[in-house]
Amino acid sequence: MISVFIVFPIFAGFILFFINKLTDSLCTQKEIPEERQGNVFQTINILVTILLISSYVDILFT
């Protein structure tokens, strides 16, 4: 159980980091204007964070 408290946040940090790298590559490849890139990053980060939190809660209560 203690490993969940240590390993999962580290794992989540790596996931967020790599998702942001992939989002940056997407914005560059699709030539999304600078004004819209902030919204793209914010939307993707919020959705991934919700997914990670729900996964964490699911692991804790199963």
Side-chain angles (χ1 to χ4, degrees), residues 19-20 22-24 26-27 32-47:
I19 291 294
N20 280 329
L22 289 171
T23 304
D24 185 49
L26 173 74
C27 289
I32 297 174
E34 290 286 328
E35 307 86 47
R36 294 192 55 216
Q37 285 184 13
N39 290 338
V40 171
F41 275 96
Q42 184 178 13
T43 302
I44 291 175
N45 282 334
I46 288 171
L47 293 174

Side-chain angles (χ1 to χ4, degrees), residues 6-39:
I6 296 171
V7 174
F8 196 87
I10 294 170
F11 180 67
F14 281 120
I15 289 176
L16 282 172
F17 175 75
F18 285 112
I19 291 294
N20 280 329
K21 282 184 66 171
L22 289 171
T23 304
D24 185 49
S25 297
L26 173 74
C27 289
T28 303
Q29 182 181 16
K30 296 295 181 182
E31 298 175 356
I32 297 174
E34 290 286 328
E35 307 86 47
R36 294 192 55 216
Q37 285 184 13
N39 290 338

